[in-house]
């Protein structure tokens, strides 16, 4: 049997030490199946999904051969969405902590070109981006791919579904022929095989099962009537009292309906669906991630590719039409060592869908009774944090340390009372413990940060 220890791989010691410090004690299935060949320079076609550890599979392949002393683009990762690109860049940065001075730049749409061009001019080793924006940079000749030795197409099926074929072909052509190419795709149908065949040279093909380990996710199904569906979500929240719950709906309309209902009942709920503006999406996601909203109500499309972690609960408000999607949804809870909880509401009309899930899981569905979900004590379900928005960002050269310093310095708060800090071009967001939020606003508003006074407000 092959060993799944990272130490069996020909990786430099600092990279191995860093993996241990990240808590990656052994390789995931996709890593064990692909890394030996990847580190040997082979091309790869991998069928694997988010959550499988695929980013580290190609990330380590990239980092093993990067030359930190040469500040040209040596690796390019193409992703379908901005969220995935951000997530991939973040994971590569974590993996690269062990190597001095590796610059990872994300080039995605919806943000100004100027700063991206600036970052490229300063030198970037690794570029992670979306096809449209990458093509823009190629047209303007602000991106030079002639030094790329590793090319990754992540979620290739999705990029093709989104109609990015032409852009992808153009970008691949801008890379040298002599390179290593890795293609990751959740599915690998004939059309994608055809389109991508010319990009790859004798690729190794690996496939890992998409099924999550059932033992790590406690799953229950509940029968409801269509009229009682929204009420049942309330009952679940009152009984489980999660800090972060993701509620899946099949349609945007249902998302809107549910979020309105939950807000009216006093829950801190936000909705994420397809046609929101990038700015709104960013803000919703960060408020959920920084724990100042309890429930994120989302469609599958909107939630795809998002790395939302530490979820203590997933609620399927509607049963998915596709059993694979169901498995993917519930896989969002219980990552790592934690046991997750996934509850699904089903009406009589869902019988066929439930049959598919049952067949897919090779196990009977565990049915629970809604009556058994009693409201737990504790009053209204409040998120532990509140988000403070400050009208200044990267443009004013604000950094997390400046905000943390202002809050823990003169204002006198403890570092542990401050949560995640997100900084954008023109504004930034600081998560504050609920109990100190008003006080922090009062103390911070009159202060100067980086020599300047900023407008700020708490986002309710
Ligand atoms: P991905 O499929 O790349 O989105 O990875 C899913 C999650 O698994 C990420 O949060 C990674 O940080 C984490 N991860 C990747 N490889 C390992 C590993 N070998 N051991 C533990 N966690 C890992």
């Amino acid at each position: 049997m092959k060993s799944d220890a990272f130490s069996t791989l020909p990786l430099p010691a600092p990279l191995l030490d860093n993996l241990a410090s990240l808590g990656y004690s052994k390789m995931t299935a996709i890593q064990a199946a692909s890394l030996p060949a990847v580190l040997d320079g082979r091309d790869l076609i991998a069928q694997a999904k988010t959550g499988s550890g695929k980013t580290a599979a190609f990330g380590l392949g990239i980092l093993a051969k990067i030359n930190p002393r040469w500040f040209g683009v040596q690796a390019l990762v193409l992703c379908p969405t901005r969220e995935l690109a951000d997530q991939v860049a973040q994971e590569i940065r974590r993996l690269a902590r062990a190597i001095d001075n590796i610059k990872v730049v994300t080039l995605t749409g919806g943000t100004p070109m100027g700063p991206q061009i600036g970052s490229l001019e300063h030198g970037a080793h690794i570029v992670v981006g979306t096809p449209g924006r990458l093509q823009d940079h190629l047209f303007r000749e602000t991106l030079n791919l002639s030094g790329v030795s590793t090319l990754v197409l992540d979620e290739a099926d999705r990029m093709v579904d989104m109609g990015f074929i032409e852009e992808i072909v153009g970008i691949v052509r801008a890379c040298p022929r002599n390179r290593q190419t890795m293609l990751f795709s959740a599915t690998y149908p004939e059309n994608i095989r055809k389109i991508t065949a010319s990009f790859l040279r004798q690729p190794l093909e690996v496939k890992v099962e998409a099924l999550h380990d059932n033992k790590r996710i406690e799953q229950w199904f509940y029968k409801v009537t269509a009229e009682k569906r929204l009420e049942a979500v309330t009952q679940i929240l009152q009984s489980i009292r999660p800090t972060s719950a993701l509620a899946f709906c099949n349609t945007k309309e249902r998302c809107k309906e549910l979020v309105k209902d939950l807000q009216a009942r006093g829950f801190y709920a936000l909705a994420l669906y397809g046609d929101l503006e990038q700015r709104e999406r960013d803000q919703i996601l960060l408020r959920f991630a920084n724990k100042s909203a309890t429930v994120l109500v989302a469609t599958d499309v909107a939630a795809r590719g998002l790395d939302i972690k530490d979820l203590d609960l997933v609620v399927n408000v509607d049963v998915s039409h596709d059993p694979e999607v169901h498995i993917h949804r519930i896989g969002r809870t219980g990552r790592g060592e934690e046991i997750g909880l996934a509850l699904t509401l089903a009406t009589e009309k869902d019988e066929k869908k439930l049959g598919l899930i049952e067949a897919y899981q090779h196990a009977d569905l565990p049915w629970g009774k809604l009556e058994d979900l009693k409201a737990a004590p504790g009053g209204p379900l409040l998120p532990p944090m509140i988000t403070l928005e400050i009208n200044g960002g990267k443009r004013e050269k604000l950094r997390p340390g400046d905000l943390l310093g202002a809050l823990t310095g003169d204002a006198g708060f403890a570092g542990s009372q401050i949560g995640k800090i997100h900084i954008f071009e023109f504004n930034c967001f600081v998560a504050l413990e609920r109990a100190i939020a008003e006080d922090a606003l009062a103390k911070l508003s009159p202060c100067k940060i980086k020599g300047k006074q900023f407008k700020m407000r708490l986002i309710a």
Side-chain angles (χ1 to χ4, degrees), residues 256-268:
K256 287 183 174 169
E257 189 189 11
L258 176 62
V259 90
K260 228 166 110 184
D261 183 78
L262 289 175
Q263 286 170 350
R265 292 172 194 253
F267 291 101
Y268 285 73

Side-chain angles (χ1 to χ4, degrees), residues 7-42:
S7 56
T8 58
L9 299 170
L11 282 171
L15 273 181
L16 285 174
D17 291 346
N18 183 45
L19 288 171
S21 80
L22 288 172
Y24 296 9
S25 50
K26 53 182 199 233
M27 289 189 261
T28 64
I30 186 71
Q31 292 160 1
S34 63
L35 271 169
V38 166
L39 295 176
D40 204 26
R42 267 194 79 174

Side-chain angles (χ1 to χ4, degrees), residues 25-74:
S25 50
K26 53 182 199 233
M27 289 189 261
T28 64
I30 186 71
Q31 292 160 1
S34 63
L35 271 169
V38 166
L39 295 176
D40 204 26
R42 267 194 79 174
D43 280 4
L44 176 76
I45 293 174
Q47 248 181 286
K49 293 186 173 176
T50 297
S52 59
K54 66 187 165 91
T55 316
F58 62 76
L60 288 170
I62 291 173
L63 292 170
K65 64 179 184 197
I66 212 110
N67 174 2
R69 286 176 300 282
W70 183 60
F71 278 84
V73 180
Q74 299 166 49

Side-chain angles (χ1 to χ4, degrees), residues 20-192:
S21 80
L22 288 172
Y24 296 9
S25 50
K26 53 182 199 233
M27 289 189 261
T28 64
I30 186 71
Q31 292 160 1
S34 63
L35 271 169
V38 166
L39 295 176
D40 204 26
R42 267 194 79 174
D43 280 4
L44 176 76
I45 293 174
Q47 248 181 286
K49 293 186 173 176
T50 297
S52 59
K54 66 187 165 91
T55 316
F58 62 76
L60 288 170
I62 291 173
L63 292 170
K65 64 179 184 197
I66 212 110
N67 174 2
R69 286 176 300 282
W70 183 60
F71 278 84
V73 180
Q74 299 166 49
L76 175 67
V77 184
L78 260 68
C79 298
T81 62
R82 175 176 168 187
E83 282 80 13
L84 185 66
D86 282 339
Q87 209 173 292
V88 164
Q90 222 170 36
E91 174 80 352
I92 295 180
R93 285 191 191 106
R94 272 154 36 98
L95 295 167
R97 285 196 308 207
I99 318 173
D100 271 348
N101 233 347
I102 295 290
K103 280 207 42 187
V104 184
V105 168
T106 42
L107 302 179
T108 57
T111 50
M113 289 290 273
Q116 294 184 349
I117 294 171
S119 299
L120 288 169
E121 280 168 354
H122 276 96
H125 298 101
I126 303 169
V127 167
V128 183
T130 45
R133 182 54 66 99
L134 287 169
Q135 202 189 32
D136 265 7
H137 280 284
L138 287 175
F139 277 144
R140 295 180 187 214
E141 298 186 351
T142 45
L143 174 65
N144 179 352
L145 297 177
S146 64
V148 166
S149 55
T150 320
L151 171 68
V152 179
L153 306 175
D154 198 7
E155 295 203 0
D157 50 348
R158 195 162 170 224
M159 288 198 283
V160 170
D161 286 349
M162 290 167 80
F164 280 137
I165 297 177
E166 267 180 40
E167 288 88 342
I168 295 172
V169 171
I171 294 162
V172 173
R173 288 214 180 112
C175 296
R177 273 171 176 275
N178 189 12
R179 56 161 203 266
Q180 181 181 22
T181 308
M182 294 183 245
L183 181 142
F184 289 79
S185 213
T187 58
Y188 195 51
E190 198 48 40
N191 67 330
I192 304 212

Side-chain angles (χ1 to χ4, degrees), residues 297-335:
V297 181
T299 56
D300 294 297
V301 177
R304 212 176 148 175
L306 294 181
D307 189 24
I308 304 174
K309 277 200 211 149
D310 301 331
L311 290 180
D312 24 27
L313 175 67
V314 163
V315 183
N316 293 311
V317 182
D318 299 301
V319 183
S320 168
H321 300 281
D322 178 346
E324 244 187 276
V325 171
H326 177 83
I327 299 298
H328 194 57
R329 285 177 175 184
I330 68 170
R332 302 238 178 210
T333 161
R335 284 191 177 192

Side-chain angles (χ1 to χ4, degrees), residues 402-416:
D402 303 323
L403 303 166
L404 198 61
L407 284 158
T408 55
D410 289 346
F413 297 105
S416 59

